[in-house]
Amino acid sequence: MTGEPKTPDKFTVINELARRRCFYWQSYEIYGGVSGFVTYGFLGTKLKQNIEKKLRELFVNKLGVLEIESPVIAPSKVFEASGHVGHFKEPMIECLKCKRRFRADHLLREFAEIKESEAEKLSLKEVKEVIENRGIHCPECGGTFGEPKYFLTMFKTTLGPYSEAVGYGRPEAAQGIFVEFKHLYEMTREKLPFGVIQIGHALRNEISPRQGLIRLREFTIMDLEFFFDPEEPNCFILKDFENETLRLVLAENKLHGSEEIVEVAVKEALEKGYIKAEWQSIFMALAKKLLIDLGVPAEKQRFIEKLPWERAHYAVQSFDQEVYVERWGWVEVSGHAYRTDYDLKRHMQFSGTDMRVFKRHEKPVETEQIVVKPLMAKLGPVFKAEAAKVAKMLSEADPKEVEVSIRKNGYYMLGKHKVLQEHVEIIRQKIKERGKRFIPHVVEPSFGSDRLVYIALEFAYHVKDGRAILSFPREIAPVQVGVYPLVTKDGLPEKASQIYETLINEGFIVECDETGSVGRRYARADEIGIPLGITVDYQTLKDNTVTIRDRDSWKQVRSRIERLPELLHKYFRWKVDFEDLGQSFER
RNA sequence: GCGGCCGUCGUCUAGUCUGGUUUAGGACACAGGCCUUCCAAGCCUGUGAUCCCGGGUUCGAAUCCCGGCGGCCGCACCA
């Protein structure tokens, strides 16, 4: 590609490396490739699995969150209820002269002073009428507009071969959790708070996905829905996180055109009202931890609050976690939305299934209720045919108002009907409430798995003495150990393959390489980020020791072969220092 | 989806303007062998491109023309 710059940027270099060393590449290349789809090779797949494992450690295992797997395709009802059909379908309008496309609702807001919430309700025909009546022209070139059309960013399909039933590919995994809420809640023995996570593919028919792993049409999403009682929003593990600092860009500052980063402890962010839900602050702190574990230093991370019109339709507050990358600057890696009871409420309306949970009061609450009981024996003769209607109106009226009026005036006017004291009996009733029903609130951290893979690669990548090295944190490295005979003769290769076998049986991800010189093999290993290299040399034949080489410092230590499994477990699981793996070795 | 630039072995590229001199050349990488007592050394051999796809012009097209696909950048979009 001659159009490429002489010194390619990190994104380009990483994509080349990813392709060459089997991390990932664009799919369907033999047919010319299709943008927005990617295939992971064996190193990429492993790296992605390790990253997801890391997320599970932090968000799933320790918090007792439950993981489920639901279908990618859903009947249209699901996404009508969730509001996606309405919100993913943007009316677009094209200028006939300069061919630029605009969002029709944005134009209406700007030039016809129609509020966004109202503009959304307009049909295409109405949009067209407003554009014509107001004489709105292209703001760029003054040309006239063509027919407004919907652009749907969900993948649409039909369910069954001859069916008219519409289905959609899910644009997020969250709905798969919400629709199963009742069942999941019962299975967890009806306790709040509780969280459910789902890691799986999602589909969005992006207009122009052109940023490698950053924007895909089919991607892996990790949606965690955490349900809690809005009356008891306190997080019981807040203490563990309250001093963790977060770097926030607040909406109020954004309004004044500032992207100033406010660095505050979780505790302070809650006290000052920067973050509305306690649980959300915990997930943000965990998200920061996850990224640090993936190799992104805190100063390259921030959480940017979304302005009301930038937010998703379901959220009352949301922050995007962003990471600073070389090519594009700040890039979103996770979203943290306070979805309130929006989704469950909508599914309750659309499906008719009661999504409320029952909360038992500690003590039954006794309340006194005034009941106005119509005495039909008296009402009948007076109101005749109207009697039933009057009784019904009476039951809908405010009993307190009725009582006050009758006591004061001796009657109560129900429209044109005059109800006298003798027509009713006013009873004070004690009612025992054992609990109440409500819809839980939800905070949602949502990660893009593929973006994390790219971020991990970009932050691991550096060049030492002209060689590319991927310095992955040891827990996410796709290959853990390389085993090398120093030279390929005198029985060294045989010894190396024995060690290889042993380590494989111990459950390590190991690679054995005997081609070319040992220096070349080290270089290749560094390039795919293998943290440790074990070299069999002539000393090995004498005393059964090998050298262990550190990817990042290129230092070597010497240890006995029998101790390797134990030492490597310590290194990968308990994170002991490299220097503690053996005696320092100098050639 | 619009505009600009671009598309040749896995990668980087020579050749394209000025159609034939090239079985499309090189370097790196890769595979096999030799060598090699620790950081991409060297030598030999080999694999690998119907020049993005389709159509047209021509005796003849990687080269010229048209359409499509893909990439990068900008605009727009990104719940």
Side-chain angles (χ1 to χ4, degrees):
Chain A
M1 264 167 262
T2 51
E4 228 157 64
K6 282 278 179 279
T7 47
D9 66 0
K10 254 188 186 173
F11 175 75
T12 308
V13 170
I14 285 168
N15 279 335
E16 276 169 19
L17 173 64
R19 199 189 146 66
R20 190 156 41 84
R21 302 308 307 270
C22 211
F23 282 95
Y24 62 83
W25 55 87
Q26 191 185 28
S27 303
Y28 312 118
E29 272 178 350
I30 64 165
Y31 293 108
V34 184
S35 54
F37 296 94
V38 76
T39 297
Y40 285 92
F42 35 84
L43 291 178
T45 302
K46 190 70 197 159
L47 176 63
K48 191 171 166 183
Q49 284 170 359
N50 290 347
I51 287 171
E52 288 167 2
K53 190 175 150 205
K54 199 78 218 160
L55 180 125
R56 285 186 172 97
E57 275 171 27
L58 282 171
F59 286 82
V60 182
N61 305 347
K62 286 184 186 164
L63 290 181
V65 165
L66 304 154
E67 183 166 357
I68 67 161
E69 184 178 318
S70 74
V72 169
I73 304 286
S76 55
K77 258 276 158 68
V78 170
F79 290 111
E80 282 161 23
S82 71
H84 286 86
V85 170
H87 287 85
F88 267 59
K89 198 167 71 174
E90 308 294 359
M92 301 288 287
I93 197 158
E94 188 178 279
C95 170
L96 296 173
K97 197 170 146 201
C98 69
K99 303 284 179 198
R100 272 182 241 266
R101 288 179 143 214
F102 300 90
R103 284 211 11 206
D105 53 331
H106 288 185
L107 288 176
L108 295 184
R109 195 175 68 201
E110 198 170 336
F111 298 103
E113 283 117 37
I114 293 177
K115 284 187 191 140
E116 176 135 5
S117 53
E118 285 163 29
E120 272 175 11
K121 289 175 196 150
L122 297 178
S123 68
L124 286 183
K125 205 177 149 202
E126 288 165 329
V127 167
K128 196 187 171 197
E129 280 169 16
V130 175
I131 298 268
E132 279 173 1
N133 293 343
R134 293 288 190 127
I136 298 172
H137 284 81
C138 172
E140 291 296 324
C141 76
T144 48
F145 286 116
E147 288 286 322
K149 279 181 208 157
Y150 279 127
F151 184 86
L152 185 73
T153 39
M154 281 198 291
F155 283 97
K156 195 174 181 178
T157 186
T158 49
L159 304 178
Y162 310 111
S163 163
E164 298 291 308
V166 173
Y168 292 105
R170 65 181 181 192
E172 58 166 19
Q175 298 308 324
I177 296 173
F178 293 128
V179 297
E180 305 296 346
F181 173 75
K182 265 253 106 157
H183 194 215
L184 294 168
Y185 181 65
E186 279 164 19
M187 306 284 269
T188 56
R189 313 192 61 190
E190 310 195 355
K191 281 202 176 69
L192 285 180
F194 85 110
V196 181
I197 192 174
Q198 170 156 222
I199 300 177
H201 278 206
L203 307 168
R204 296 182 190 182
N205 201 0
E206 299 283 357
I207 300 172
S208 97
R210 291 189 287 203
Q211 299 162 31
L213 292 183
I214 302 295
R215 267 181 80 203
L216 295 169
R217 289 192 166 119
E218 177 169 351
F219 59 101
T220 303
I221 199 167
M222 314 199 257
D223 278 342
L224 194 167
E225 309 307 317
F226 196 84
F227 300 94
F228 65 95
D229 178 352
E231 286 185 352
E232 294 175 41
N234 298 343
C235 166
F236 53 79
I237 49 165
L238 184 62
K239 275 261 174 294
D240 301 343
F241 294 92
E242 61 184 12
N243 295 319
E244 185 69 59
T245 58
L246 296 174
R247 290 153 50 85
L248 306 177
V249 177
L250 298 169
E252 53 174 288
N253 290 339
K254 272 169 75 177
L255 282 174
H256 303 125
S258 155
E259 292 214 334
E260 180 205 349
I261 292 174
V262 186
E263 192 159 348
V264 286
V266 164
K267 197 175 169 183
E268 193 185 345
L270 289 165
E271 279 165 10
K272 293 197 170 161
Y274 296 159
I275 302 175
K276 287 180 181 160
E278 281 192 9
W279 282 103
Q280 185 165 353
S281 70
I282 299 305
F283 291 126
M284 286 165 69
L286 279 169
K288 176 191 166 189
K289 173 99 173 55
L290 175 69
L291 267 291
I292 285 176
D293 286 353
L294 298 185
V296 183
E299 67 271 16
K300 295 281 187 180
Q301 301 182 31
R302 69 177 190 186
F303 290 93
I304 185 162
E305 187 178 3
K306 293 264 187 171
L307 293 166
W309 55 87
E310 296 171 331
R311 283 200 296 257
H313 57 275
Y314 45 69
V316 293
Q317 184 179 35
S318 64
F319 285 91
D320 278 355
Q321 182 185 26
E322 296 183 327
V323 168
Y324 196 86
V325 298
E326 197 188 270
R327 186 166 190 148
W328 298 290
W330 292 103
V331 162
E332 181 194 346
V333 294
S334 76
H336 297 260
Y338 184 13
R339 296 177 82 135
T340 67
D341 59 0
Y342 176 87
D343 298 274
L344 290 179
K345 200 193 258 169
R346 294 273 296 190
H347 285 301
M348 185 159 149
Q349 284 164 8
F350 278 68
S351 70
T353 300
D354 190 354
M355 295 289 190
R356 293 175 306 167
V357 303
F358 179 76
K359 179 164 84 168
R360 183 177 281 275
H361 294 316
E362 288 193 9
K363 284 183 208 152
V365 178
E366 284 205 358
T367 49
E368 200 179 60
Q369 233 180 29
I370 303 164
V371 178
V372 179
K373 193 176 163 193
L375 299 171
M376 294 314 286
K378 306 271 174 149
L379 281 175
V382 180
F383 295 103
K384 313 263 190 245
E386 298 275 288
K389 198 175 142 199
V390 171
K392 188 166 178 269
M393 286 165 76
L394 206 50
S395 68
E396 285 164 4
D398 179 5
K400 185 134 199 192
E401 212 175 282
V402 177
E403 191 198 21
V404 170
S405 172
I406 286 182
R407 197 188 304 155
K408 204 165 140 197
N409 312 319
Y411 64 88
Y412 177 70
M413 291 306 294
L414 261 180
K416 56 182 183 188
H417 304 294
K418 195 174 191 177
V419 180
L420 301 175
Q421 184 159 19
E422 63 197 67
H423 297 153
V424 296
E425 188 181 352
I426 294 173
I427 310 165
R428 286 175 186 275
Q429 221 176 34
K430 291 213 165 146
I431 299 214
K432 254 192 194 173
E433 274 188 352
R434 298 190 184 280
K436 62 179 240 176
R437 287 178 194 281
F438 67 95
I439 301 175
H441 276 211
V442 172
V443 291
E444 174 202 66
S446 171
F447 291 84
S449 195
D450 311 275
R451 289 183 175 194
L452 294 181
V453 170
Y454 179 74
I455 296 289
L457 280 164
E458 172 157 332
F459 279 83
Y461 182 87
H462 61 104
V463 176
K464 180 172 175 179
D465 293 357
R467 289 185 187 176
I469 300 179
L470 289 178
S471 291
F472 293 123
R474 63 185 81 163
E475 308 99 292
I476 64 166
V479 179
Q480 296 175 299
V481 190
V483 180
Y484 320 104
L486 187 62
V487 291
T488 50
K489 59 180 186 185
D490 301 330
L492 267 51
E494 290 74 9
K495 198 80 191 167
S497 43
Q498 279 170 22
I499 295 172
Y500 171 82
E501 288 289 331
T502 309
L503 296 180
I504 287 282
N505 290 333
E506 283 288 331
F508 294 104
I509 311 292
V510 197
E511 190 182 275
C512 198
D513 190 353
E514 359 184 302
T515 60
S517 70
V518 76
R520 183 195 226 33
R521 289 177 248 150
Y522 289 154
R524 271 205 293 246
D526 290 345
E527 202 184 35
I528 60 168
I530 306 179
L532 298 179
I534 289 170
T535 307
V536 172
D537 57 14
Y538 283 94
Q539 184 78 20
T540 309
L541 300 179
K542 289 181 207 155
D543 63 5
N544 238 21
T545 61
V546 288
T547 67
I548 308 176
R549 172 185 179 273
D550 177 49
R551 172 195 64 203
D552 300 318
S553 65
W554 298 357
K555 282 185 189 150
Q556 283 173 295
V557 294
R558 188 170 273 284
S559 273
R560 300 193 60 77
I561 292 177
E562 314 86 77
R563 292 198 61 205
L564 282 177
E566 169 217 336
L567 290 170
L568 297 185
H569 280 306
K570 273 188 182 162
Y571 180 82
F572 286 106
R573 194 175 300 161
W574 307 112
K575 296 174 196 154
V576 302
D577 291 339
F578 169 74
E579 280 77 13
D580 296 332
L581 295 184
Q583 298 292 313
S584 163
F585 166 74
E586 302 287 339
R587 290 186 307 281

